[in-house]
Structures are given as C-alpha cells and as structure tokens.
Amino acid sequence: MIKNLDDPRYKALIEWLKSTRIEKGLSVRDLGKLLDEPHQFVVKIETYERKLNVLEYVQYCESLKISPSDGLALITNGA
C-alpha cells in the first residue's frame, strides 16, 4: 500500500485538481470557502503537505464541479 505523498499518481491527481481550480478562475481562498475550510487547507493539499482522504477528495471534486471518477481514471490509466 502506498502511503507517501511523493507517489507520482497522487501528484498527478493533485496537479489535476489544482489546474482545474485555476482553469475555473478560483483562488485558494475561493475554494476554501466552497469547501467550508480555511484556505490553508487547500494550500496544504496543493503543496503535498497534507493528503486528501477519499471523502475529502469527493467533496473537493464536487466543489470544483468535476467528476471524481475522472480523476480516478487519470491515476488508474497511468496518465
């Protein structure tokens, strides 16, 4: 089981979330408000200081209006 934050698949997933946030014109503060979390939560996720659990991942995707399955396909298809 992979538990570290340096796994390339995890990094690809977080980069996908970050680029989606940026494409949608949202700041880390904006996304933090949508998540009902402080903006530092988003910063820590995007800088690999904190790992998202599966429920947080789904909520993150919902806040960005993207499908969680798209991100999972990204990491399971070796993109």
Side-chain angles (χ1 to χ4, degrees):
M1 183 167 295
I2 299 164
K3 295 186 179 187
N4 68 41
L5 296 171
D6 290 331
D7 184 273
R9 293 170 294 179
Y10 183 73
K11 285 190 170 193
L13 184 68
I14 298 304
E15 286 304 314
W16 175 69
L17 291 171
K18 181 179 179 179
S19 65
T20 301
R21 173 186 63 76
I22 292 167
E23 286 171 14
K24 292 185 176 273
L26 296 171
S27 69
V28 292
R29 289 184 186 275
D30 295 333
L31 183 54
K33 287 178 186 175
L34 291 172
L35 292 167
D36 198 26
E37 292 284 347
H39 73 278
Q40 294 94 333
F41 173 84
V42 177
V43 171
K44 287 182 180 183
I45 297 301
E46 291 185 0
T47 58
Y48 313 107
E49 293 179 46
R50 185 185 187 288
K51 188 184 278 188
L52 279 174
N53 71 39
V54 68
L55 297 175
E56 291 168 336
Y57 168 71
V58 170
Q59 185 180 7
Y60 212 98
C61 289
E62 288 171 346
S63 294
L64 290 171
K65 295 182 176 32
I66 54 177
S67 173
S69 61
D70 290 345
L72 296 177
L74 174 77
I75 63 171
T76 58
N77 293 333

